[in-house]
Amino acid sequence: MAGQVEGKVALVTGGASGIGEAIVELFAREGATVIATDIDELRGPDLVRRVTKAGGKAIFLEQDVTSEERWIEVVAEIAKRYGRLDTLVANAGIGIAVPSITEMTLGDWRKQNAINLDGVFLSVKHCLPLMRKHGGGSIVMMSSLAGLRGAPGLSAYSATKGGVRLFAKSIAMECAAAGDGIRVNSVHPGIIDTPIWGKIPTGATGAGQNAPIDPEERARIATPLGRAGQAAEIASGVLYLASDASRYVTGSELVIDGGMNAGAVPRRQ
Ligand SMILES: NC(=O)c1ccc[n+]([C@@H]2O[C@H](COP(=O)([O-])OP(=O)(O)OC[C@H]3O[C@@H](n4cnc5c(N)ncnc54)[C@H](O)[C@@H]3O)[C@@H](O)[C@H]2O)c1
């Protein structure tokens, strides 16, 4: 049986770790040629070695999503190597937590926005022309449950993810109006067990302390299904949105959160 994204060329930003890594692995297993980009120049090449050893097609390009110059180079490289781009997964993101918004520095606010929002804007701006050349494709933007609901201490993060949600819908309308065959959707993970939880800077300056956040512990209490999600469980939703199985789906939001957005249940002992 052919893979679900057989023959497609897919770019995954933030592809070296966590959810991005799981998407790269799954897309490659399902027949895509994957370009994984990230600032992490250690994990990225490692992942690509693993994928190619398993028979998949993938390359790694170092990329900071906030650099427009680098976006121009990355898209030119994809055009040169493959001549097309069918799928963009704008996944790279960080979270900056502060005890109160009054303690957030403008520098941290801007950093949060630069990666989570400017990076997504630049990805669409520079990938769309190449995607349009070959009759369309699918853009998946990684938002969050925090893009649907407020999250105390994570207001800047929430602002970016809420922005991504409506940016996705607006680009979906722009593409539909252009009749370019490009579908655009957002994905909203709940609490997923990835390295991001150990990297969240907290405190008045946002200066690098790691918050002692255990996603599993948090999810046991907060999630109706009683556990944290796995990166692979987000990747399977992204695969659906990238594949032709979702050909009538655009401007929608796929919530994968163990039920958190729907409500709360009393915890069993
Ligand atoms: N893990 C969760 O619970 C959760 C929940 C909701 C949404 N998300 C979102 O999912 C996405 C992936 O997060 P994850 O949990 O896999 O985290 P992660 O930290 O494991 O992976 C994020 C990747 O993005 C990369 N990255 C960071 N800044 C970058 C930059 N400027 N340019 C390019 N790459 C950069 C990192 O190096 C890392 O490899 C993020 O957008 C995150 O906000 C995660």
Side-chain angles (χ1 to χ4, degrees), residues 167-180:
F167 184 62
K169 292 186 196 306
S170 298
I171 302 301
M173 294 307 103
E174 211 169 297
C175 290
D180 61 10

Side-chain angles (χ1 to χ4, degrees), residues 13-21 37-40 43 63-66 90-95 114-116 142-146 157 161 187-197 199 215 231 234:
T13 69
S17 170
I19 292 170
E21 177 180 5
T37 78
D38 206 292
I39 48 171
D40 191 330
R43 290 181 67 113
Q63 179 188 30
D64 179 341
V65 291
T66 67
N91 165 74
I94 62 160
I115 297 173
N116 289 21
M142 198 56 66
S143 179
S144 172
L145 188 59
Y157 178 78
K161 294 301 187 181
V187 172
H188 301 259
I191 300 173
I192 312 304
D193 189 1
T194 73
I196 203 172
W197 293 96
K199 300 180 203 166
I234 305 303

Side-chain angles (χ1 to χ4, degrees), residues 119-241:
V120 176
F121 151 66
L122 289 171
S123 72
V124 172
K125 174 177 174 179
H126 291 287
C127 290
L128 259 185
L130 183 58
M131 294 180 75
R132 282 178 165 155
K133 265 193 184 164
H134 286 275
S138 169
I139 297 177
V140 181
M141 300 186 197
M142 198 56 66
S143 179
S144 172
L145 188 59
L148 299 171
R149 294 171 28 168
L154 279 170
S155 48
Y157 178 78
S158 270
T160 65
K161 294 301 187 181
V164 165
R165 171 177 174 264
L166 277 179
F167 184 62
K169 292 186 196 306
S170 298
I171 302 301
M173 294 307 103
E174 211 169 297
C175 290
D180 61 10
I182 296 175
R183 300 179 295 101
V184 187
N185 296 285
S186 57
V187 172
H188 301 259
I191 300 173
I192 312 304
D193 189 1
T194 73
I196 203 172
W197 293 96
K199 300 180 203 166
I200 296 176
T202 57
T205 62
Q209 308 101 296
N210 282 339
I213 299 172
D214 174 357
E216 195 53 56
E217 192 183 312
R218 189 175 266 218
R220 241 190 333 267
I221 301 159
T223 308
L225 290 187
R227 66 169 176 86
Q230 298 303 308
E233 293 168 326
I234 305 303
S236 57
V238 175
L239 176 68
Y240 164 70
L241 292 173

Side-chain angles (χ1 to χ4, degrees), residues 235-269:
S236 57
V238 175
L239 176 68
Y240 164 70
L241 292 173
S243 78
D244 296 339
S246 61
R247 61 189 167 271
Y248 198 52
V249 181
T250 196
S252 81
E253 44 199 57
L254 179 53
V255 180
I256 309 176
D257 68 344
M260 277 177 85
N261 198 41
V265 294
R267 272 277 64 82
R268 292 176 294 269
Q269 288 305 313

